[in-house]
């Protein structure tokens, strides 16, 4: 924290940015005994996992619907139920020992679209999703079953690749044919092959809000993993606030021996040859490290924090051709009545005339 003397100026790993990505990375390293320094420019860690007070209301900033917090291994064994995937739960709670208290929402979301006369809750669990889609659009249930099986195949392929120490191309070709065939296709291109009714398409398109672009641009494997995780595991939220969730992660990080400094802005990455060897702070202090992890936005890191000569041409081209899509704003409402008195029965709503993603992106 600001005002405390830093123990040294040379670390094994520096994590720049204390959002939940930075916290999770630092936790994973610290539990393995790595010497970690986490630096955050704001007065608290957590990034979007935070809340603020206005009058008598406390508002969540943005964090609201978490996937990959499915049933833990121990709980599943005790209850004799099938274990949901829950990778985030295993990393943060079971492996790193963060005392996070989460609850599961009754449904994934509620979709209300006036142009299509749709008002429905989408439940989680593969069987329930299929039944809900069949009720919405008779004949689409069987298509949705095949669609979710495909999404599961893609998710398994990416997990195999992620967990492999060495990429075995022949193994991927043999074991994950669907992933190889569809890796270069957009969501819209794959979805059209299933010939869903427009009502089903509109309900599925609610998930675009998490990725922020037209389905003509979003890569299908990215979408498939998200659909599979949310639709099979459901949504979890912090029992109290996401601010508390971030505080507990930081507390556990300190217990594991890592050093955490807030009010400490990293303005530049130090480089030597083709390596990043440390960071420079806003006050001019330089701290060296064997490795540096960046949890700032990639665009900021590339345009403001690294010397231009250090950035590979392929990365310059990638960030120069990116297309902008949705530009949202957030409106917070403090309501003078309980949710049930206002007819609010679901946790998350998508409300509008339609969800034609190309029109929205334009």
């Amino acid at each position: 924290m600001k005002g405390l003397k830093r123990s040294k100026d040379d670390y094994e790993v520096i994590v720049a940015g204390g959002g939940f990505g930075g916290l999770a990375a630092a936790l994973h390293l610290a539990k393995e005994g790595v010497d970690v320094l986490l630096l955050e420019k704001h007065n608290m860690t957590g990034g979007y996992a935070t809340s603020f007070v206005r009058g008598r209301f406390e508002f969540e900033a943005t964090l609201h619907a978490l996937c990959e917090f499915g049933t833990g291994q121990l709980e599943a064994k005790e209850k004799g139920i099938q274990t949901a995937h829950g990778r985030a739960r295993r990393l943060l709670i079971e492996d790193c020992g963060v005392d996070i208290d989460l609850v599961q929402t009754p449904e994934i979301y509620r979709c209300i679209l006036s142009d299509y006369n749709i008002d429905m809750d989408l439940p989680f669990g593969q069987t329930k999703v299929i039944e809900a889609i069949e009720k919405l659009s008779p004949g689409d249930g069987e298509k949705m079953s095949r669609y979710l099986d495909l999404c599961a195949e893609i998710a398994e392929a990416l997990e195999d690749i992620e967990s492999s120490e060495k990429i075995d191309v022949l193994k991927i070709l043999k074991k994950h044919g669907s992933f190889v065939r569809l890796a270069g296709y957009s969501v819209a291109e794959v979805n059209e092959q299933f010939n869903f009714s427009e009502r089903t398409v509109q309900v599925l398109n609610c998930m675009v809000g998490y990725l922020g672009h037209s389905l003509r641009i979003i890569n299908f494997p990215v979408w498939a993993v998200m659909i599979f995780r949310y639709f099979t595991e459901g949504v979890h939220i912090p029992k109290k606030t996401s601010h508390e969730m971030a505080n507990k992660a930081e507390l556990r990080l300190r217990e594991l021996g890592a050093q955490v400094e807030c009010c400490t802005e990293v303005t530049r990455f130090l480089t030597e040859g083709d390596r990043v060897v440390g960071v420079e702070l806003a006050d001019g202090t330089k701290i060296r490290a064997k490795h540096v992890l960046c949890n700032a936005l990639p665009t900021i890191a590339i345009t403001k924090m690294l010397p231009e000569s250090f950035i590979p041409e392929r990365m310059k081209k990638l960030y120069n051709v990116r297309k902008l899509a949705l530009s949202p704003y957030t409106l917070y409402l403090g309501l003078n009545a309980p949710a049930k008195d206002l007819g609010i029965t679901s946790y998350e709503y998508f409300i509008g005339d339609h969800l034609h993603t190309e029109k929205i992106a334009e």
Side-chain angles (χ1 to χ4, degrees):
M1 298 294 289
K2 190 174 182 180
L4 295 180
K5 185 177 180 181
R6 189 172 300 111
S7 60
K8 54 185 178 178
D9 290 314
D10 193 345
Y11 291 82
E12 194 169 353
V13 176
I14 292 175
V15 179
F20 237 93
L23 283 169
L27 280 163
H28 184 68
L29 292 167
K31 80 179 180 68
E32 299 297 329
V34 177
D35 178 30
V36 179
L37 169 65
L38 181 131
L39 302 171
E40 167 57 46
K41 70 177 181 179
H42 294 295
N43 66 321
M44 63 182 72
T45 58
Y48 287 142
T50 190
S51 58
F52 63 91
V53 175
R54 292 292 183 274
R56 63 186 179 86
F57 296 102
E58 182 173 7
F59 294 104
E60 286 283 351
T62 54
L63 185 64
H64 58 286
L66 302 168
C67 69
E68 300 204 50
F69 276 95
T71 307
Q73 302 278 2
L74 297 177
E75 183 182 348
K77 186 176 181 180
E78 291 171 358
K79 294 183 178 180
I81 60 177
Q82 183 179 0
T83 308
H85 197 267
R87 288 195 305 174
R89 175 186 289 271
R90 290 206 293 273
L91 170 64
L92 293 172
I93 299 175
E94 296 178 2
D95 291 349
C96 293
V98 181
D99 182 23
I100 301 174
D101 199 359
L102 298 163
V103 294
Q104 192 166 48
T105 64
E107 65 287 309
I108 306 171
Y109 53 76
R110 183 168 175 179
C111 175
I112 301 176
L113 300 172
S114 58
D115 285 359
Y116 292 88
N117 194 30
I118 293 174
D119 183 350
M120 67 172 287
D121 282 327
L122 188 68
F124 67 88
Q126 190 157 340
T127 301
K128 290 183 178 180
V129 169
I130 292 167
E131 290 173 350
I133 294 300
E134 178 64 24
K135 184 177 180 180
L136 173 75
S137 304
D140 275 5
E142 187 272 334
K143 299 174 189 176
M144 179 56 61
S145 178
R146 291 188 287 111
Y147 188 73
L148 291 179
D149 285 343
L150 176 61
C151 290
E153 284 185 51
I154 300 297
E156 182 185 357
L158 288 173
E159 186 172 347
D160 272 1
I161 293 169
E162 178 186 326
S163 60
S164 299
E165 293 183 5
K166 183 180 179 181
I167 302 299
D168 187 334
V169 177
L170 291 178
K171 179 183 175 183
I172 294 171
L173 288 170
K174 184 177 180 180
K175 186 178 179 182
H176 302 299
S178 295
F179 170 74
V180 175
R181 289 193 299 273
L182 300 175
Y185 285 85
S186 71
V187 179
E189 289 172 320
V190 175
N191 286 2
E192 286 166 1
Q193 298 304 308
F194 282 83
N195 197 30
F196 287 122
S197 74
E198 187 56 36
R199 284 166 64 81
T200 297
V201 169
Q202 290 288 310
V203 171
L204 285 178
N205 283 3
C206 289
M207 298 298 289
V208 172
Y210 294 107
L211 296 176
H213 220 309
S214 160
L215 294 185
R216 295 283 171 194
I217 291 179
I218 297 170
N219 180 257
F220 181 72
V222 175
W223 169 269
V225 172
M226 180 181 69
I227 289 289
F228 178 69
R229 300 287 180 239
Y230 274 101
F231 281 24
T232 58
E233 296 179 18
V235 173
H236 285 76
I237 58 174
K239 191 170 184 179
K240 294 184 179 178
T241 66
S242 56
H243 184 189
E244 180 197 38
M245 183 175 168
N247 283 347
K248 287 184 174 181
E250 181 185 332
L251 176 62
R252 181 58 181 154
L253 185 57
R254 293 178 184 274
E255 290 173 349
L256 290 169
Q259 185 165 349
V260 180
E261 293 187 29
C262 295
C263 302
T264 308
E265 182 179 3
V266 174
T267 55
R268 191 166 70 92
F269 295 119
L270 305 177
T271 61
E272 290 179 2
D274 62 352
R275 294 191 66 246
V276 174
V277 296
V279 300
E280 182 175 331
L281 307 182
D283 63 4
T285 300
K286 296 179 180 179
I287 313 173
R288 295 183 67 85
K290 292 180 181 178
H291 306 281
V292 176
L293 300 181
C294 177
N295 191 44
L297 288 173
T299 304
I300 293 175
I302 290 168
T303 59
K304 296 183 178 180
M305 302 173 74
L306 284 167
E308 187 174 353
S309 59
F310 184 84
I311 305 168
E313 283 299 317
R314 60 179 176 77
M315 197 170 288
K316 292 180 185 178
K317 291 178 181 178
L318 175 65
Y319 281 89
N320 283 332
V321 300
R322 285 186 179 274
K323 295 182 179 180
L324 299 177
L326 306 181
S327 181
Y329 68 91
T330 304
L331 174 67
Y332 296 95
L333 299 175
L335 304 175
N336 287 317
K340 63 180 182 179
D341 291 353
L342 298 168
I344 299 173
T345 57
S346 303
Y347 176 74
E348 183 168 16
Y349 286 75
F350 288 90
I351 304 173
D353 300 328
H354 63 80
L355 274 169
H356 293 295
T357 67
E358 286 76 22
K359 291 181 181 179
I360 293 171
E362 289 167 6

